[in-house]
Structure formats: C-alpha cells, structure tokens
Amino acid sequence: MTIFEKIARREIPANIVWEDDEVIAFHDVDPKAPVHVLVVPKRVIPRVAESMPADQALLGKLLLTTRHVAEKLDLLESGYRVVINNGPDAGESVPHLHVHVLGKRRLSWPPG
Ligand code: DGP
C-alpha cells in the first residue's frame, strides 16, 4: 500500500483540505511554498506516464480538484502552480500519482 493510500484510510495523519469518493487533497508534509497541497486519486495510478485511456475522467477530476483547493485556500487571485513529477529526473518520490498545488509565494520559472 502506498503512503497516500494510508493517508486516505486515516492510517497516517494528514491535514486534509478536500475529499470526495475519488480524490483526496492534503497539505504536503515538506512544503515548498506557504501553500503546498497534494491532490491524489484514491485509486492508485503509479505515475502519469502509466495512466490509461480508462483513467481519462479521473485525470480530469484531479485538475478540477486543484481548482477547489485553490479557491478554498485563497489562491485564485494571487495565482498558483500545478505540478506533476514523473520519474527520476523530475524528482518523483512517491509512486502514487499526485498533483502538487503551490501558492502564496512568487515561484521562479523555469523550475530548478
Ligand atoms: P514527489 O516528489 O512529486 O513524488 O512528491 C511527493 C511529496 O509527498 C513530497 O513533496 C513529500 C510528500 N509526502 C511524502 N510523504 C508524506 C506524508 O506522509 N504525508 C504528507 N502529507 N506528505 C508526504
């Protein structure tokens, strides 16, 4: 079981900001910005490169959920970044697809 599945099952505590039947969003344990939330599908897809056509609706749901998170945490006006790390060069560390939502500071581009 992945660490994010354990969070969804309440086996590991997390500061949850959004949840429904398909997704859960909670604050990152090691935040890289004043707001740093992870949006995670409850059904495990290891990474976006392993998603399938059957995952299309769930992938869309993840992006729509980032909007809910942004609204709840007052990011809509100031802006925010949505990030998916895929594989070693991107720094992926948890093999359970998750979308980072980063906000409340000016983020540089391109990323390091
Ligand atoms: P990535 O590098 O894209 O795979 O991001 C994984 C993120 O998961 C990383 O920013 C830290 C976060 N993380 C890892 N373990 C935990 C945990 O137990 N709780 C929470 N809230 N976040 C975690």
Side-chain angles (χ1 to χ4, degrees):
M1 194 179 299
T2 72
I3 201 154
F4 295 160
E5 287 178 281
K6 291 180 181 170
I7 286 173
R9 288 167 168 245
R10 307 302 198 271
E11 292 173 9
I12 293 176
N15 186 353
I16 295 166
V17 297
W18 180 270
E19 183 173 24
D20 64 22
D21 288 350
E22 295 176 311
V23 303
I24 185 167
F26 49 85
H27 289 272
D28 195 293
V29 77
D30 182 21
K32 302 297 189 285
V35 171
H36 186 172
V37 168
L38 304 175
V39 180
V40 180
K42 291 186 174 177
R43 177 163 62 76
V44 180
I45 300 169
R47 58 194 53 81
V48 71
E50 292 179 43
S51 58
M52 310 289 284
D55 300 320
Q56 182 169 319
L58 186 55
L59 295 174
K61 179 76 177 276
L62 292 174
L63 288 183
L64 288 171
T65 303
T66 67
R67 206 269 183 210
H68 294 312
V69 169
E71 184 170 22
K72 192 164 183 186
L73 298 181
D74 188 33
L75 301 176
L76 290 181
E77 205 169 305
S78 53
Y80 55 100
R81 185 168 292 167
V82 172
V83 173
I84 298 174
N85 293 322
N86 188 99
D89 276 357
E92 177 202 312
S93 60
V94 177
H96 181 158
L97 177 61
H98 47 284
V99 180
H100 298 256
V101 179
L102 298 137
K104 293 292 181 194
R105 76 170 170 84
R106 185 60 69 102
L107 299 164
S108 60
W109 189 264

